[in-house]
Amino acid sequence: MSNYNDIILTDSAAKRVTQITTDSSNNNYKKILKITINTGGCAGLRYKYEFIDKPDAEDILIKNGDSSVAVDDFSAQLLKGATIDFVETSDCGTASF
């Protein structure tokens, strides 16, 4: 695994991932967030977010401090130059690129 420097994980997104993965009361404790992009959907791409036990050998880790997000090579190429962010609104929190 290597760090893909063209994709940025913001402090806000890193903080949210850490909150989820360090809370021992939920099912995602000690897991890693993985983002996968597949072709399809209305705009031609579908984003899948899942918490996994460990990244695949070919996954790329996007890091910010102690937080990591795993992406496969195909998804990393599509995310090149993107910023992964978490924005909390009065309605809910959302991930944005």
Side-chain angles (χ1 to χ4, degrees), residues 79-94:
L79 289 171
K80 187 175 182 179
T83 298
I84 301 169
D85 197 12
F86 176 79
V87 179
E88 191 147 5
T89 64
S90 60
D91 297 330
C92 63
T94 61

Side-chain angles (χ1 to χ4, degrees), residues 18-85:
T18 298
Q19 287 172 337
I20 293 169
T21 58
T22 59
D23 180 357
S24 61
S25 68
N26 74 48
N27 293 335
N28 299 315
Y29 180 60
K30 292 190 176 181
K31 292 193 176 186
I32 296 172
L33 176 63
K34 183 169 182 174
I35 301 172
T36 306
I37 302 173
N38 295 306
T39 56
C42 298
L45 299 174
R46 292 181 307 182
Y47 295 82
K48 178 180 178 183
Y49 303 90
E50 64 182 324
F51 286 92
I52 58 174
D53 292 318
K54 66 179 192 169
D56 294 329
E58 41 304 316
D59 283 345
I60 297 161
L61 289 181
I62 311 305
K63 297 184 176 200
N64 180 331
D66 293 334
S67 292
S68 296
V69 173
V71 294
D72 61 87
D73 186 59
F74 176 76
S75 301
Q77 291 178 34
L78 293 173
L79 289 171
K80 187 175 182 179
T83 298
I84 301 169
D85 197 12

